[in-house]
Amino acid sequence: MFGGPAAVYDRFVGRYSPHLARAMCDAASVRPGQRALDVGCGSGALVAELATRLGPECVAGIDPSESFAEAARLRVPGARILVGAAELLPFGDGEFDATLSQLVVNFLSDPEGGVREMARVTRPRGVVAGCVWDYGGEMTMLRTYWDAAGALDPGGTAELRETHTMRFATPETLADLWRSAGLGEVQVEPLVVEATYEHFDDLWSPFPTGVGPAGAYAASLDPEAQRELRDEFARRLGNPEGSFTLSARAWCAVGLSQ
Ligand SMILES: C[S@@+](CC[C@H](N)C(=O)[O-])C[C@H]1O[C@@H](n2cnc3c(N)ncnc32)[C@H](O)[C@@H]1O
């Protein structure tokens, strides 16, 4: 799902990532002098923001996708980028002052184990922060896309939507995950970001490549059904002509390692 070229991801949900990274670093109170880790770093948007604030030598990132890890290395020379999984982090206890994870916990095979590992590698009273999209609510792009797909194929999409497949998409479920990993003083806050598109096909073009769950569904359709989905998606966004902007809300959990 995320094994393809990083450039495609960056035109898809990754378009929101640099904005979200700034909001995440603010929510986690990242400040100079700290060492920070980005778990599930993807193509490196959050690594880049952390490096701007802390210096690349104080930043590490890890992702199981070779192509994403390589993209992150190229994006942030000097940061330590490894290939690996959240559930088994190759770092020592308490190595970081802050461990962050952006849009990742829903993709972990063992989310509880992954967040426990994030807590383990963070020093006592260091910050562990993670965010997920508000899939059923104010993540406009994905919600509108699935509404369009559901209108055209009522029986075929209900079980594919992130609202069905993603365990963590509300403040309550995310806070519970953070607490279950032993994190203290857990708080969840909304992060609202935007992405601007030059025209509708600037938004649509990554979908049929199969990136992420939404793209995987688009890629499974024949060309005629893809065209219908494209047109219904555009219609629900008001058939934009020229440039337009969509907003997206994520929920961000912040807790302290014990
Ligand atoms: C939606 S992308 C988010 C990427 C990046 N954090 C961002 O905000 O742009 C989800 C990421 O989780 C990564 N991922 C999937 N399984 C993982 C695991 N077990 N441990 C760590 N990361 C994982 C994927 O490779 C992908 O880069």
Side-chain angles (χ1 to χ4, degrees):
M1 195 183 290
F2 295 110
V8 174
Y9 175 78
D10 288 342
R11 286 192 291 116
F12 182 58
V13 175
R15 200 180 290 245
Y16 297 83
S17 295
H19 311 274
L20 200 52
R22 282 195 285 280
M24 280 276 289
C25 286
D26 289 345
S29 304
V30 170
R31 54 188 182 281
Q34 292 185 324
R35 295 153 303 147
L37 169 67
D38 177 7
V39 175
C41 65
S43 56
L46 178 55
V47 172
E49 181 63 25
L50 289 167
T52 300
R53 295 181 185 221
L54 308 178
E57 67 286 356
C58 295
V59 179
I62 186 164
D63 198 284
S65 160
E66 296 267 2
S67 58
F68 279 11
E70 185 54 22
R73 280 188 202 108
L74 293 171
R75 190 167 180 166
V76 194
R80 185 177 169 209
I81 308 292
L82 305 179
V83 173
E87 293 88 343
L88 198 63
L89 291 173
F91 301 105
D93 295 356
E95 229 180 274
F96 299 96
D97 301 293
T99 301
L100 287 72
S101 187
Q102 181 166 294
L103 308 174
V104 172
V105 293
N106 278 302
F107 297 97
L108 301 181
S109 51
D110 177 7
E112 286 79 7
V115 181
R116 259 199 315 275
E117 274 289 89
M118 290 171 59
R120 179 186 65 77
V121 301
T122 307
R123 68 162 167 79
R125 303 224 31 101
V127 172
V128 176
C131 70
V132 296
W133 287 127
D134 175 15
Y135 286 110
E138 301 305 314
M139 198 315 172
T140 311
M141 177 185 90
L142 291 174
R143 194 201 62 229
T144 311
Y145 169 82
W146 284 115
D147 285 349
L152 296 171
D153 180 11
T157 59
E159 294 192 353
L160 301 176
R161 286 186 81 129
E162 287 94 349
T163 43
H164 181 79
T165 58
M166 302 298 188
R167 277 177 63 196
F168 310 103
T170 63
E172 295 75 23
T173 52
L174 193 59
D176 284 349
L177 176 63
W178 250 236
R179 288 193 197 100
S180 77
L183 292 160
E185 300 178 37
V186 174
Q187 300 208 341
V188 177
E189 65 173 280
L191 306 179
V192 179
V193 294
E194 289 185 341
T196 298
Y197 300 89
E198 286 175 26
H199 42 71
F200 181 75
D201 282 308
D202 188 23
L203 166 64
W204 170 252
S205 60
F207 282 83
T209 68
V211 61
Y217 174 72
S220 74
L221 302 175
D222 63 41
E224 178 54 29
Q226 274 187 9
R227 249 189 313 279
E228 284 176 12
L229 176 53
R230 179 212 170 277
D231 292 350
E232 179 63 17
F233 189 15
R235 194 185 69 73
R236 284 167 182 263
L237 291 173
N239 284 321
E241 286 185 11
S243 172
F244 64 101
T245 297
L246 298 182
S247 69
R249 179 166 69 186
W251 300 114
C252 178
V254 177
L256 298 184
S257 188
Q258 302 297 298

